[in-house]
Amino acid sequence: MKSYFICWVRRAFFVFLVFLFSLVCFFLNRIFNVRPVWLVGEREGESAGDNGYAFFQFCISRGDRHVYYVANRELKKALSVRGVDENVVLYGGVKHAYLVSASSAWLFTVSCRDVVYYSFSYFFFGKKFFLGHGVVYSDVIKEYVRGYAAPYDYVLVSGENEAKIWREGFGVSGEKIKIIGMPRLDVLRRVCQGESIGQILYFPTWPNPNYYGCSREEAAERYLMALKLLRDDSGLKRFLMDSHLHFRVVLHPMLRHDEVEGYFEGEDCLSVVSSSNCGLASEISKSHCLVTDYSSVSFDFLYLGRPVLLYRGGGLQSPEDGFYESLCEGVFSNVEDLVEGLKRLERRRWVCAKDNASLRRLAFDHDDSLNCLRLREAVVSSELK
């Protein structure tokens, strides 16, 4: 207990020093009229594969040198290996503290902590854009979203139906809502030009402690149990080998890669990759279908018109709202039934049995590759207010 208290005091003192440095820089920037910067991040610097990273890539491709991506040390190294070094800043570093003081906009997928220490969000004047990582389809999850997103100045949504939920279900005023579309769909449209090539994508969500009423360790145990049941099922392996298919498991950012190290070692038709740096659009482009419990990646497959299967074995469940059931090809609680569902899809050449065109129109107002451009224009407009 004493060592824990000492660590907490040291961290608090460090955050205070960083805050003090940022505050001094903030006033100096205003005095010398320094060009404001935009900070973009996902999951407290741990991830680069969602709406924030898609927008960052778009800005860099346009030559926007004032846009920076916030990454922790591990992610920064991973991005460097991928050749992405330009304007990637270390979360909690001196340069990051300075950029916070010079920022006019923060763009995040979960909360302000994606780009700054949370306490900083009340002291600096950067406009806060909540990008989200899916489509809010029901006010059943209002406390879940509100707790993650707040505080924010603007909310990015994909359509009028989602905007209505934010207005009526969450009580957000209309001027705070921007019908722009998910930036990552621009990447998806660019990457997914051809047909899928023999892959089944499995993307289970993290068992949210607020929903399950469990600790982080218990949540990890639920998650790993679902993976173990799939890995050990001989029927699934036989189907994959006979059909020349590959089962690709994408780990949620909350699960550390070392926690599953060796889980799929020696498996020819199953593999695992972290969602933090896998290039999700590329993985989707290869995939015939998605298997998940209730991941927001379902919306990417809905957008592409590809099938989704819901698998809730190993203790994984879902909020009782019915939306995911309405877009999927089936709900399965054990691996044997999931394999049968995959066989049915294979016989139909991976074509959806149900017409989800109406759901697609309900979720997405825009059907173009201009989501990033619309977001950029919204951020520029916010700077003028």
Side-chain angles (χ1 to χ4, degrees):
M1 180 63 72
K2 184 179 179 181
S3 60
Y4 174 81
F5 177 74
I6 292 173
C7 289
W8 182 89
V9 170
R10 285 176 177 172
R11 177 175 173 79
F13 182 66
F14 171 74
V15 172
F16 173 74
L17 290 179
V18 173
F19 169 73
L20 199 61
F21 173 76
S22 298
L23 193 62
V24 172
C25 292
F26 174 81
F27 287 111
L28 290 175
N29 291 332
R30 294 308 183 269
I31 292 172
F32 294 105
N33 198 27
V34 174
R35 169 70 166 95
V37 301
W38 302 350
L39 295 181
V40 188
E42 299 170 2
R43 299 185 183 277
E44 300 184 36
E46 295 182 354
S47 175
D50 209 327
N51 291 316
Y53 189 64
F55 178 67
F56 168 73
Q57 287 183 305
F58 169 79
C59 291
I60 293 300
S61 70
R62 288 178 55 95
D64 291 332
R65 304 300 179 210
H66 63 288
V67 182
Y68 291 84
Y69 196 81
V70 182
N72 66 14
R73 196 173 302 278
E74 182 179 347
L75 178 60
K76 196 172 187 301
K77 288 180 181 178
L79 291 176
S80 180
V81 170
R82 285 157 57 180
V84 183
D85 289 304
E86 186 179 7
N87 284 31
V88 177
V89 61
L90 179 64
Y91 194 113
V94 174
K95 185 176 181 179
H96 179 218
Y98 167 71
L99 291 174
V100 168
S101 71
S103 59
S104 62
W106 302 343
L107 299 97
F108 48 88
T109 56
V110 177
S111 77
C112 287
R113 290 183 68 110
D114 294 349
V115 291
V116 298
Y117 288 109
Y118 191 78
S119 56
F120 287 22
S121 62
Y122 295 98
F123 295 97
F124 294 98
F125 301 110
K127 297 293 184 180
K128 306 169 188 67
F129 286 80
F130 173 55
L131 307 183
H133 50 273
V135 176
V136 177
Y137 50 87
S138 167
D139 62 6
V140 168
I141 58 173
K142 90 167 66 169
E143 296 305 324
Y144 176 82
V145 173
R146 180 182 293 160
Y148 268 166
Y152 50 79
D153 296 298
Y154 300 101
V155 175
L156 180 149
V157 300
S158 293
E160 177 54 39
N161 181 68
E162 188 180 4
K164 182 179 178 182
I165 292 172
W166 278 96
R167 286 194 304 269
E168 299 179 4
F170 300 174
V172 177
S173 58
E175 63 269 17
K176 284 189 171 186
I177 301 171
K178 302 291 183 181
I179 302 178
I180 288 173
M182 292 195 294
R184 75 179 190 228
L185 293 184
D186 290 359
V187 180
L188 202 62
R189 287 175 65 98
R190 184 174 69 251
V191 172
C192 298
Q193 296 292 334
E195 295 184 355
S196 51
I197 51 172
Q199 179 169 284
I200 297 168
L201 197 67
Y202 179 46
F203 200 135
T205 53
W206 185 250
N208 189 294
N210 294 332
Y211 175 70
Y212 287 95
C214 61
S215 65
R216 194 263 176 210
E217 290 72 22
E218 291 170 328
E221 188 176 337
R222 284 176 177 269
Y223 196 100
L224 293 172
M225 175 59 70
L227 298 186
K228 186 175 185 298
L229 289 173
L230 289 165
R231 182 200 64 186
D232 295 342
D233 191 85
S234 58
L236 175 63
K237 293 178 183 178
R238 187 164 52 251
F239 164 70
L240 294 171
M241 293 180 67
D242 292 345
S243 303
H244 305 288
L245 294 169
H246 191 79
F247 199 84
R248 184 70 154 170
V249 180
V250 182
L251 296 179
H252 193 276
M254 285 292 290
L255 191 73
R256 299 188 306 274
H257 201 278
D258 62 285
E259 291 182 279
V260 293
E261 190 173 359
Y263 249 59
F264 294 92
E265 189 174 346
E267 301 291 349
D268 295 327
C269 49
L270 294 96
S271 63
V272 62
V273 63
S274 171
S275 64
S276 298
N277 53 17
C278 69
L280 186 56
S282 176
E283 295 292 343
I284 292 173
S285 71
K286 304 171 189 174
S287 304
H288 290 313
C289 72
L290 172 71
V291 178
T292 185
D293 46 355
Y294 66 108
S295 168
S296 65
V297 179
S298 300
F299 293 102
D300 300 73
F301 278 77
L302 172 64
Y303 187 79
L304 293 174
R306 296 185 185 181
V308 177
L309 300 180
L310 300 188
Y311 167 65
R312 291 167 180 168
L316 295 180
Q317 300 174 31
S318 169
E320 299 297 331
D321 48 54
F323 179 83
Y324 284 97
E325 287 81 353
S326 66
L327 67 84
C328 77
E329 299 291 311
V331 183
F332 309 98
S333 57
N334 60 69
V335 185
E336 183 180 355
D337 291 342
L338 172 62
V339 172
E340 290 303 314
L342 290 170
K343 288 179 179 178
R344 286 194 294 271
L345 275 179
E346 185 187 33
R347 288 194 291 269
R348 292 203 308 268
R349 298 181 181 275
W350 308 101
V351 175
C352 294
K354 57 173 64 176
D355 182 9
N356 284 334
S358 58
L359 274 177
R360 189 177 187 273
R361 288 192 297 271
L362 189 67
F364 308 107
D365 278 16
H366 302 293
D367 189 13
D368 54 34
S369 300
L370 303 175
N371 297 332
C372 287
L373 180 60
R374 280 187 288 268
L375 177 55
R376 185 182 183 280
E377 291 172 349
V379 179
V380 170
S381 177
S382 75
E383 290 185 311
L384 302 176
K385 294 181 179 180

